[in-house]
PDB file of all heavy atoms in Angstrom:
ATOM      1  N   GLU A   6     106.156 234.932 190.601  1.00 90.00           N
ATOM      2  CA  GLU A   6     105.282 233.852 190.158  1.00 90.00           C
ATOM      3  C   GLU A   6     104.332 233.405 191.268  1.00 90.00           C
ATOM      4  O   GLU A   6     103.231 232.922 190.993  1.00 90.00           O
ATOM      5  CB  GLU A   6     106.130 232.661 189.692  1.00 90.00           C
ATOM      6  CG  GLU A   6     106.901 232.914 188.406  1.00 90.00           C
ATOM      7  CD  GLU A   6     107.796 231.743 188.044  1.00 90.00           C
ATOM      8  OE1 GLU A   6     107.734 230.706 188.754  1.00 90.00           O
ATOM      9  OE2 GLU A   6     108.563 231.858 187.073  1.00 90.00           O
ATOM     10  N   SER A   7     104.759 233.594 192.514  1.00 86.00           N
ATOM     11  CA  SER A   7     103.938 233.180 193.663  1.00 86.00           C
ATOM     12  C   SER A   7     103.158 234.337 194.268  1.00 86.00           C
ATOM     13  O   SER A   7     102.577 234.196 195.342  1.00 86.00           O
ATOM     14  CB  SER A   7     104.835 232.551 194.744  1.00 86.00           C
ATOM     15  OG  SER A   7     105.542 231.456 194.229  1.00 86.00           O
ATOM     16  N   ALA A   8     103.175 235.491 193.611  1.00 88.00           N
ATOM     17  CA  ALA A   8     102.452 236.692 194.057  1.00 88.00           C
ATOM     18  C   ALA A   8     103.006 237.257 195.359  1.00 88.00           C
ATOM     19  O   ALA A   8     102.332 238.021 196.050  1.00 88.00           O
ATOM     20  CB  ALA A   8     100.956 236.407 194.204  1.00 88.00           C
ATOM     21  N   LEU A   9     104.254 236.900 195.688  1.00 90.00           N
ATOM     22  CA  LEU A   9     104.879 237.475 196.876  1.00 90.00           C
ATOM     23  C   LEU A   9     105.400 238.878 196.592  1.00 90.00           C
ATOM     24  O   LEU A   9     105.495 239.707 197.501  1.00 90.00           O
ATOM     25  CB  LEU A   9     106.029 236.583 197.355  1.00 90.00           C
ATOM     26  CG  LEU A   9     105.617 235.223 197.935  1.00 90.00           C
ATOM     27  CD1 LEU A   9     106.837 234.343 198.132  1.00 90.00           C
ATOM     28  CD2 LEU A   9     104.881 235.411 199.252  1.00 90.00           C
ATOM     29  N   VAL A  10     105.778 239.127 195.347  1.00 92.00           N
ATOM     30  CA  VAL A  10     106.202 240.463 194.936  1.00 92.00           C
ATOM     31  C   VAL A  10     105.536 240.782 193.606  1.00 92.00           C
ATOM     32  O   VAL A  10     105.048 239.891 192.901  1.00 92.00           O
ATOM     33  CB  VAL A  10     107.743 240.585 194.791  1.00 92.00           C
ATOM     34  CG1 VAL A  10     108.448 240.205 196.078  1.00 92.00           C
ATOM     35  CG2 VAL A  10     108.258 239.750 193.634  1.00 92.00           C
ATOM     36  N   THR A  11     105.538 242.060 193.276  1.00 91.00           N
ATOM     37  CA  THR A  11     105.016 242.491 191.982  1.00 91.00           C
ATOM     38  C   THR A  11     105.997 243.495 191.378  1.00 91.00           C
ATOM     39  O   THR A  11     106.683 244.222 192.112  1.00 91.00           O
ATOM     40  CB  THR A  11     103.623 243.130 192.144  1.00 91.00           C
ATOM     41  OG1 THR A  11     103.113 243.482 190.853  1.00 91.00           O
ATOM     42  CG2 THR A  11     103.676 244.383 193.013  1.00 91.00           C
ATOM     43  N   GLU A  12     106.079 243.520 190.050  1.00 91.00           N
ATOM     44  CA  GLU A  12     107.031 244.396 189.351  1.00 91.00           C
ATOM     45  C   GLU A  12     106.283 245.502 188.616  1.00 91.00           C
ATOM     46  O   GLU A  12     105.264 245.260 187.966  1.00 91.00           O
ATOM     47  CB  GLU A  12     107.860 243.592 188.352  1.00 91.00           C
ATOM     48  CG  GLU A  12     108.883 244.438 187.609  1.00 91.00           C
ATOM     49  CD  GLU A  12     109.579 243.669 186.484  1.00 91.00           C
ATOM     50  OE1 GLU A  12     109.101 242.564 186.134  1.00 91.00           O
ATOM     51  OE2 GLU A  12     110.576 244.185 185.949  1.00 91.00           O
ATOM     52  N   ASN A  13     106.804 246.707 188.740  1.00 89.00           N
ATOM     53  CA  ASN A  13     106.315 247.822 187.948  1.00 89.00           C
ATOM     54  C   ASN A  13     107.031 247.772 186.598  1.00 89.00           C
ATOM     55  O   ASN A  13     108.241 247.994 186.536  1.00 89.00           O
ATOM     56  CB  ASN A  13     106.601 249.153 188.654  1.00 89.00           C
ATOM     57  CG  ASN A  13     106.016 250.341 187.899  1.00 89.00           C
ATOM     58  OD1 ASN A  13     105.861 250.313 186.682  1.00 89.00           O
ATOM     59  ND2 ASN A  13     105.704 251.401 188.632  1.00 89.00           N
ATOM     60  N   PRO A  14     106.333 247.465 185.492  1.00 83.00           N
ATOM     61  CA  PRO A  14     107.014 247.290 184.204  1.00 83.00           C
ATOM     62  C   PRO A  14     107.610 248.579 183.648  1.00 83.00           C
ATOM     63  O   PRO A  14     108.458 248.527 182.752  1.00 83.00           O
ATOM     64  CB  PRO A  14     105.893 246.761 183.291  1.00 83.00           C
ATOM     65  CG  PRO A  14     104.622 247.240 183.927  1.00 83.00           C
ATOM     66  CD  PRO A  14     104.881 247.254 185.399  1.00 83.00           C
ATOM     67  N   ILE A  15     107.182 249.722 184.171  1.00 85.00           N
ATOM     68  CA  ILE A  15     107.681 250.993 183.658  1.00 85.00           C
ATOM     69  C   ILE A  15     109.081 251.285 184.186  1.00 85.00           C
ATOM     70  O   ILE A  15     110.000 251.589 183.423  1.00 85.00           O
ATOM     71  CB  ILE A  15     106.709 252.136 184.015  1.00 85.00           C
ATOM     72  CG1 ILE A  15     105.348 251.885 183.352  1.00 85.00           C
ATOM     73  CG2 ILE A  15     107.288 253.484 183.583  1.00 85.00           C
ATOM     74  CD1 ILE A  15     104.295 252.902 183.739  1.00 85.00           C
ATOM     75  N   ASN A  16     109.251 251.183 185.508  1.00 87.00           N
ATOM     76  CA  ASN A  16     110.555 251.523 186.085  1.00 87.00           C
ATOM     77  C   ASN A  16     111.343 250.312 186.558  1.00 87.00           C
ATOM     78  O   ASN A  16     112.417 250.443 187.131  1.00 87.00           O
ATOM     79  CB  ASN A  16     110.397 252.515 187.243  1.00 87.00           C
ATOM     80  CG  ASN A  16     109.498 251.982 188.347  1.00 87.00           C
ATOM     81  OD1 ASN A  16     109.232 250.783 188.438  1.00 87.00           O
ATOM     82  ND2 ASN A  16     109.006 252.887 189.200  1.00 87.00           N
ATOM     83  N   ARG A  17     110.779 249.102 186.354  1.00 89.00           N
ATOM     84  CA  ARG A  17     111.454 247.852 186.718  1.00 89.00           C
ATOM     85  C   ARG A  17     111.773 247.763 188.211  1.00 89.00           C
ATOM     86  O   ARG A  17     112.756 247.148 188.607  1.00 89.00           O
ATOM     87  CB  ARG A  17     112.753 247.681 185.919  1.00 89.00           C
ATOM     88  CG  ARG A  17     112.554 247.636 184.428  1.00 89.00           C
ATOM     89  CD  ARG A  17     111.744 246.429 184.010  1.00 89.00           C
ATOM     90  NE  ARG A  17     111.570 246.345 182.565  1.00 89.00           N
ATOM     91  CZ  ARG A  17     110.835 245.430 181.946  1.00 89.00           C
ATOM     92  NH1 ARG A  17     110.175 244.534 182.674  1.00 89.00           N
ATOM     93  NH2 ARG A  17     110.718 245.410 180.644  1.00 89.00           N
ATOM     94  N   ARG A  18     110.922 248.351 189.029  1.00 92.00           N
ATOM     95  CA  ARG A  18     111.105 248.267 190.470  1.00 92.00           C
ATOM     96  C   ARG A  18     110.092 247.278 191.048  1.00 92.00           C
ATOM     97  O   ARG A  18     109.013 247.089 190.494  1.00 92.00           O
ATOM     98  CB  ARG A  18     110.949 249.645 191.114  1.00 92.00           C
ATOM     99  CG  ARG A  18     111.995 250.639 190.632  1.00 92.00           C
ATOM    100  CD  ARG A  18     111.762 252.029 191.188  1.00 92.00           C
ATOM    101  NE  ARG A  18     112.232 252.153 192.553  1.00 92.00           N
ATOM    102  CZ  ARG A  18     113.474 252.451 192.887  1.00 92.00           C
ATOM    103  NH1 ARG A  18     114.406 252.629 191.970  1.00 92.00           N
ATOM    104  NH2 ARG A  18     113.828 252.558 194.157  1.00 92.00           N
ATOM    105  N   TYR A  19     110.458 246.668 192.162  1.00 94.00           N
ATOM    106  CA  TYR A  19     109.643 245.609 192.751  1.00 94.00           C
ATOM    107  C   TYR A  19     109.013 246.069 194.059  1.00 94.00           C
ATOM    108  O   TYR A  19     109.593 246.868 194.805  1.00 94.00           O
ATOM    109  CB  TYR A  19     110.497 244.359 192.990  1.00 94.00           C
ATOM    110  CG  TYR A  19     110.920 243.671 191.705  1.00 94.00           C
ATOM    111  CD1 TYR A  19     112.047 244.106 191.007  1.00 94.00           C
ATOM    112  CD2 TYR A  19     110.186 242.614 191.189  1.00 94.00           C
ATOM    113  CE1 TYR A  19     112.426 243.484 189.822  1.00 94.00           C
ATOM    114  CE2 TYR A  19     110.564 241.981 190.015  1.00 94.00           C
ATOM    115  CZ  TYR A  19     111.686 242.426 189.334  1.00 94.00           C
ATOM    116  OH  TYR A  19     112.064 241.813 188.169  1.00 94.00           O
ATOM    117  N   TYR A  20     107.823 245.508 194.341  1.00 92.00           N
ATOM    118  CA  TYR A  20     107.079 245.895 195.529  1.00 92.00           C
ATOM    119  C   TYR A  20     106.436 244.641 196.157  1.00 92.00           C
ATOM    120  O   TYR A  20     106.344 243.589 195.517  1.00 92.00           O
ATOM    121  CB  TYR A  20     105.994 246.916 195.169  1.00 92.00           C
ATOM    122  CG  TYR A  20     106.553 248.170 194.539  1.00 92.00           C
ATOM    123  CD1 TYR A  20     106.701 248.262 193.149  1.00 92.00           C
ATOM    124  CD2 TYR A  20     106.985 249.235 195.325  1.00 92.00           C
ATOM    125  CE1 TYR A  20     107.252 249.399 192.567  1.00 92.00           C
ATOM    126  CE2 TYR A  20     107.537 250.377 194.746  1.00 92.00           C
ATOM    127  CZ  TYR A  20     107.671 250.449 193.369  1.00 92.00           C
ATOM    128  OH  TYR A  20     108.225 251.560 192.806  1.00 92.00           O
ATOM    129  N   ILE A  21     106.008 244.795 197.410  1.00 88.00           N
ATOM    130  CA  ILE A  21     105.332 243.699 198.096  1.00 88.00           C
ATOM    131  C   ILE A  21     104.111 243.268 197.287  1.00 88.00           C
ATOM    132  O   ILE A  21     103.327 244.096 196.823  1.00 88.00           O
ATOM    133  CB  ILE A  21     104.897 244.138 199.510  1.00 88.00           C
ATOM    134  CG1 ILE A  21     106.129 244.419 200.385  1.00 88.00           C
ATOM    135  CG2 ILE A  21     104.012 243.086 200.165  1.00 88.00           C
ATOM    136  CD1 ILE A  21     106.989 243.216 200.652  1.00 88.00           C
ATOM    137  N   GLY A  22     103.924 241.951 197.133  1.00 86.00           N
ATOM    138  CA  GLY A  22     102.873 241.430 196.267  1.00 86.00           C
ATOM    139  C   GLY A  22     101.534 241.230 196.953  1.00 86.00           C
ATOM    140  O   GLY A  22     101.398 241.353 198.178  1.00 86.00           O
ATOM    141  N   PRO A  23     100.510 240.870 196.171  1.00 82.00           N
ATOM    142  CA  PRO A  23      99.141 240.740 196.702  1.00 82.00           C
ATOM    143  C   PRO A  23      98.973 239.614 197.715  1.00 82.00           C
ATOM    144  O   PRO A  23      98.109 239.698 198.585  1.00 82.00           O
ATOM    145  CB  PRO A  23      98.299 240.491 195.446  1.00 82.00           C
ATOM    146  CG  PRO A  23      99.271 239.996 194.418  1.00 82.00           C
ATOM    147  CD  PRO A  23     100.560 240.665 194.713  1.00 82.00           C
ATOM    148  N   LEU A  24      99.769 238.544 197.609  1.00 82.00           N
ATOM    149  CA  LEU A  24      99.625 237.449 198.572  1.00 82.00           C
ATOM    150  C   LEU A  24      99.975 237.912 199.975  1.00 82.00           C
ATOM    151  O   LEU A  24      99.255 237.612 200.939  1.00 82.00           O
ATOM    152  CB  LEU A  24     100.516 236.267 198.170  1.00 82.00           C
ATOM    153  CG  LEU A  24     100.511 235.077 199.146  1.00 82.00           C
ATOM    154  CD1 LEU A  24      99.098 234.527 199.318  1.00 82.00           C
ATOM    155  CD2 LEU A  24     101.457 233.982 198.664  1.00 82.00           C
ATOM    156  N   ILE A  25     101.070 238.655 200.102  1.00 77.00           N
ATOM    157  CA  ILE A  25     101.469 239.157 201.419  1.00 77.00           C
ATOM    158  C   ILE A  25     100.447 240.157 201.932  1.00 77.00           C
ATOM    159  O   ILE A  25     100.142 240.200 203.129  1.00 77.00           O
ATOM    160  CB  ILE A  25     102.880 239.772 201.358  1.00 77.00           C
ATOM    161  CG1 ILE A  25     103.906 238.670 201.111  1.00 77.00           C
ATOM    162  CG2 ILE A  25     103.210 240.546 202.635  1.00 77.00           C
ATOM    163  CD1 ILE A  25     105.322 239.140 201.028  1.00 77.00           C
ATOM    164  N   THR A  26      99.896 240.960 201.029  1.00 69.00           N
ATOM    165  CA  THR A  26      98.858 241.913 201.424  1.00 69.00           C
ATOM    166  C   THR A  26      97.639 241.190 201.982  1.00 69.00           C
ATOM    167  O   THR A  26      97.066 241.593 202.998  1.00 69.00           O
ATOM    168  CB  THR A  26      98.448 242.787 200.231  1.00 69.00           C
ATOM    169  OG1 THR A  26      99.600 243.462 199.714  1.00 69.00           O
ATOM    170  CG2 THR A  26      97.418 243.823 200.641  1.00 69.00           C
ATOM    171  N   ARG A  27      97.236 240.084 201.336  1.00 72.00           N
ATOM    172  CA  ARG A  27      96.084 239.316 201.815  1.00 72.00           C
ATOM    173  C   ARG A  27      96.372 238.697 203.176  1.00 72.00           C
ATOM    174  O   ARG A  27      95.518 238.684 204.062  1.00 72.00           O
ATOM    175  CB  ARG A  27      95.711 238.220 200.814  1.00 72.00           C
ATOM    176  CG  ARG A  27      95.054 238.731 199.555  1.00 72.00           C
ATOM    177  CD  ARG A  27      94.226 237.642 198.871  1.00 72.00           C
ATOM    178  NE  ARG A  27      95.015 236.470 198.542  1.00 72.00           N
ATOM    179  CZ  ARG A  27      95.695 236.319 197.409  1.00 72.00           C
ATOM    180  NH1 ARG A  27      95.685 237.287 196.505  1.00 72.00           N
ATOM    181  NH2 ARG A  27      96.369 235.209 197.182  1.00 72.00           N
ATOM    182  N   LEU A  28      97.584 238.186 203.341  1.00 68.00           N
ATOM    183  CA  LEU A  28      97.954 237.609 204.632  1.00 68.00           C
ATOM    184  C   LEU A  28      97.932 238.659 205.730  1.00 68.00           C
ATOM    185  O   LEU A  28      97.528 238.398 206.862  1.00 68.00           O
ATOM    186  CB  LEU A  28      99.350 236.973 204.545  1.00 68.00           C
ATOM    187  CG  LEU A  28      99.465 235.694 203.710  1.00 68.00           C
ATOM    188  CD1 LEU A  28     100.918 235.301 203.563  1.00 68.00           C
ATOM    189  CD2 LEU A  28      98.673 234.558 204.343  1.00 68.00           C
ATOM    190  N   ALA A  29      98.379 239.861 205.386  1.00 66.00           N
ATOM    191  CA  ALA A  29      98.470 240.929 206.384  1.00 66.00           C
ATOM    192  C   ALA A  29      97.109 241.416 206.849  1.00 66.00           C
ATOM    193  O   ALA A  29      96.994 242.022 207.915  1.00 66.00           O
ATOM    194  CB  ALA A  29      99.274 242.109 205.826  1.00 66.00           C
ATOM    195  N   THR A  30      96.060 241.161 206.055  1.00 64.00           N
ATOM    196  CA  THR A  30      94.720 241.598 206.460  1.00 64.00           C
ATOM    197  C   THR A  30      94.105 240.663 207.494  1.00 64.00           C
ATOM    198  O   THR A  30      93.056 240.955 208.040  1.00 64.00           O
ATOM    199  CB  THR A  30      93.776 241.685 205.252  1.00 64.00           C
ATOM    200  OG1 THR A  30      93.686 240.390 204.629  1.00 64.00           O
ATOM    201  CG2 THR A  30      94.283 242.695 204.240  1.00 64.00           C
ATOM    202  N   ASN A  31      94.750 239.531 207.772  1.00 66.00           N
ATOM    203  CA  ASN A  31      94.267 238.588 208.779  1.00 66.00           C
ATOM    204  C   ASN A  31      95.264 238.558 209.929  1.00 66.00           C
ATOM    205  O   ASN A  31      96.235 237.807 209.897  1.00 66.00           O
ATOM    206  CB  ASN A  31      94.116 237.193 208.178  1.00 66.00           C
ATOM    207  CG  ASN A  31      93.470 236.219 209.152  1.00 66.00           C
ATOM    208  OD1 ASN A  31      93.459 236.443 210.362  1.00 66.00           O
ATOM    209  ND2 ASN A  31      92.944 235.131 208.630  1.00 66.00           N
ATOM    210  N   PRO A  32      95.054 239.381 210.958  1.00 64.00           N
ATOM    211  CA  PRO A  32      96.024 239.475 212.054  1.00 64.00           C
ATOM    212  C   PRO A  32      96.277 238.150 212.754  1.00 64.00           C
ATOM    213  O   PRO A  32      97.393 237.881 213.184  1.00 64.00           O
ATOM    214  CB  PRO A  32      95.372 240.486 213.012  1.00 64.00           C
ATOM    215  CG  PRO A  32      94.414 241.248 212.185  1.00 64.00           C
ATOM    216  CD  PRO A  32      93.928 240.292 211.143  1.00 64.00           C
ATOM    217  N   VAL A  33      95.242 237.303 212.858  1.00 67.00           N
ATOM    218  CA  VAL A  33      95.430 236.028 213.550  1.00 67.00           C
ATOM    219  C   VAL A  33      96.429 235.164 212.796  1.00 67.00           C
ATOM    220  O   VAL A  33      97.329 234.557 213.387  1.00 67.00           O
ATOM    221  CB  VAL A  33      94.083 235.294 213.706  1.00 67.00           C
ATOM    222  CG1 VAL A  33      94.293 233.920 214.337  1.00 67.00           C
ATOM    223  CG2 VAL A  33      93.129 236.125 214.557  1.00 67.00           C
ATOM    224  N   THR A  34      96.303 235.120 211.462  1.00 69.00           N
ATOM    225  CA  THR A  34      97.250 234.356 210.659  1.00 69.00           C
ATOM    226  C   THR A  34      98.653 234.924 210.778  1.00 69.00           C
ATOM    227  O   THR A  34      99.636 234.190 210.925  1.00 69.00           O
ATOM    228  CB  THR A  34      96.816 234.359 209.178  1.00 69.00           C
ATOM    229  OG1 THR A  34      95.524 233.771 209.071  1.00 69.00           O
ATOM    230  CG2 THR A  34      97.790 233.574 208.327  1.00 69.00           C
ATOM    231  N   MET A  35      98.768 236.231 210.735  1.00 73.00           N
ATOM    232  CA  MET A  35     100.074 236.877 210.791  1.00 73.00           C
ATOM    233  C   MET A  35     100.768 236.639 212.130  1.00 73.00           C
ATOM    234  O   MET A  35     101.994 236.657 212.213  1.00 73.00           O
ATOM    235  CB  MET A  35      99.924 238.389 210.569  1.00 73.00           C
ATOM    236  CG  MET A  35      99.572 238.762 209.135  1.00 73.00           C
ATOM    237  SD  MET A  35     100.902 238.400 207.983  1.00 73.00           S
ATOM    238  CE  MET A  35     102.110 239.626 208.489  1.00 73.00           C
ATOM    239  N   HIS A  36      99.996 236.397 213.177  1.00 85.00           N
ATOM    240  CA  HIS A  36     100.581 236.274 214.513  1.00 85.00           C
ATOM    241  C   HIS A  36     100.453 234.860 215.077  1.00 85.00           C
ATOM    242  O   HIS A  36     100.508 234.667 216.288  1.00 85.00           O
ATOM    243  CB  HIS A  36      99.932 237.298 215.449  1.00 85.00           C
ATOM    244  CG  HIS A  36     100.097 238.713 214.978  1.00 85.00           C
ATOM    245  ND1 HIS A  36     101.247 239.438 215.183  1.00 85.00           N
ATOM    246  CD2 HIS A  36      99.273 239.528 214.275  1.00 85.00           C
ATOM    247  CE1 HIS A  36     101.113 240.649 214.649  1.00 85.00           C
ATOM    248  NE2 HIS A  36      99.926 240.716 214.095  1.00 85.00           N
ATOM    249  N   GLU A  37     100.297 233.897 214.184  1.00 85.00           N
ATOM    250  CA  GLU A  37     100.145 232.511 214.619  1.00 85.00           C
ATOM    251  C   GLU A  37     101.354 232.033 215.419  1.00 85.00           C
ATOM    252  O   GLU A  37     101.233 231.279 216.393  1.00 85.00           O
ATOM    253  CB  GLU A  37      99.933 231.604 213.401  1.00 85.00           C
ATOM    254  CG  GLU A  37      99.675 230.142 213.736  1.00 85.00           C
ATOM    255  CD  GLU A  37      98.371 229.939 214.489  1.00 85.00           C
ATOM    256  OE1 GLU A  37      97.404 230.657 214.209  1.00 85.00           O
ATOM    257  OE2 GLU A  37      98.347 229.054 215.371  1.00 85.00           O
ATOM    258  N   TYR A  38     102.546 232.483 215.038  1.00 85.00           N
ATOM    259  CA  TYR A  38     103.745 232.028 215.761  1.00 85.00           C
ATOM    260  C   TYR A  38     103.797 232.602 217.167  1.00 85.00           C
ATOM    261  O   TYR A  38     104.352 231.982 218.073  1.00 85.00           O
ATOM    262  CB  TYR A  38     105.017 232.358 214.990  1.00 85.00           C
ATOM    263  CG  TYR A  38     105.287 233.808 214.734  1.00 85.00           C
ATOM    264  CD1 TYR A  38     106.164 234.525 215.529  1.00 85.00           C
ATOM    265  CD2 TYR A  38     104.671 234.467 213.676  1.00 85.00           C
ATOM    266  CE1 TYR A  38     106.419 235.860 215.285  1.00 85.00           C
ATOM    267  CE2 TYR A  38     104.918 235.789 213.430  1.00 85.00           C
ATOM    268  CZ  TYR A  38     105.795 236.488 214.236  1.00 85.00           C
ATOM    269  OH  TYR A  38     106.045 237.813 214.002  1.00 85.00           O
TER     270      TYR A  38
END
């Protein structure tokens, strides 16, 4: 629901979602800590 993961409706398997992908494209955000 929060776009952290996404489900393949065919095989019912889960994968990393678009929100995490967007975060990963900004290295500064990913390495703020």
Side-chain angles (χ1 to χ4, degrees):
E6 291 176 5
S7 302
L9 291 170
V10 303
T11 183
E12 181 188 12
N13 184 332
I15 298 175
N16 58 17
R17 300 296 182 184
R18 298 175 79 86
Y19 291 84
Y20 301 90
I21 294 296
L24 177 59
I25 292 180
T26 303
R27 287 202 303 272
L28 290 172
T30 59
N31 186 340
V33 176
T34 300
M35 288 293 291
H36 301 279
E37 184 65 35
Y38 61 99

